């Protein structure tokens, strides 16, 4: 009897593993429907949106996986990023402003990987040192100095970062995050309709397969 119970338990574990790795993916378990669905920035594309923060160590850790997902998206899909702001201790509001300013100045994509390194790789924008929140924290002037190597004058960066347009985009980013009910980072939203993260997918390794599955599902959906 013990052997039958053990085999049964093993079967359940194996079945769960198969489900996590390749499907069938279950709505409400591996991913969640966004209700109501949110409009995307590029309606002619399937949009994969990462809700992230440069101040989030998990986002830094999985950045190579995100890069892999982006590289494997089909031609009709695009990766976008929405910066979160809810963790003031790790300077998320500052880095939200920084990303949106860099985006407005056309250097966000070029600087994306380096920003993570500057914060979590012992660079000039570190927010945690030896396991403790750094004091003094990095400032907007420090961030502006970082972006100078991408050809943006510090004064221009600061002016853009403090502009009405960027303030508006920050509010829009916060509203989107609230609407899709994201409370942890990184989280991914597929075409404004589905929300998932590494935990719901079963692992970060499984996340890529599930994202691509949902992109294919959206691609096949009637227009």
């Amino acid at each position: 009897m013990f052997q039958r119970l053990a085999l049964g338990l093993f079967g359940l574990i194996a079945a769960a593993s198969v489900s996590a790795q390749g499907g069938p993916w279950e709505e409400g378990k591996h991913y969640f429907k966004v209700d109501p669905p949110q409009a995307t920035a590029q309606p002619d594309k399937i949009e994969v949106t990462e809700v992230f923060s440069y101040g989030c160590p998990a986002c830094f850790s999985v950045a190579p996986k995100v890069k892999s997902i982006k590289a494997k998206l089909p031609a009709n899909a695009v990766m976008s990023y929405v910066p979160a702001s809810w963790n003031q201790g790790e300077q998320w509001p500052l880095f939200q402003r920084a990303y949106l300013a860099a985006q407005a100045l056309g250097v966000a994509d070029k600087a994306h990987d380096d920003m993570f390194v500057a914060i979590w790789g012992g660079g000039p924008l570190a927010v945690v040192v030896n396991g403790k929140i750094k004091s003094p924290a990095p400032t907007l002037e420090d961030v502006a100095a970082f972006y100078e190597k991408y050809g943006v004058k510090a004064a221009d960066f600061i002016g853009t970062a403090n502009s009405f347009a960027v303030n508006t985009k920050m509010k829009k980013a916060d509203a989107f995050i609230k609407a899709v009910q994201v409370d942890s980072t990184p989280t991914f939203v597929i075409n404004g309709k589905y929300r998932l993260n590494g935990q719901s997918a079963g692992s970060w390794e499984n996340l890529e397969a599930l994202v691509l599955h949902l992109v294919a599902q959206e691609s096949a959906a009637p227009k």
Side-chain angles (χ1 to χ4, degrees), residues 179-203:
V180 296
Q181 299 181 313
V182 169
D183 59 6
S184 65
T185 54
T187 292
F188 296 82
V189 179
I190 311 302
N191 222 28
K193 296 180 180 180
Y194 305 107
R195 180 184 72 251
L196 66 149
N197 57 29
Q199 183 177 7
S200 69
S203 71

Side-chain angles (χ1 to χ4, degrees), residues 147-169:
Y147 278 102
E148 281 191 305
K149 67 180 177 180
Y150 293 95
V152 178
K153 293 180 180 179
D156 292 341
F157 186 88
I158 291 171
T160 300
N162 287 324
S163 68
F164 175 80
V166 166
N167 287 335
T168 300
K169 286 182 178 180

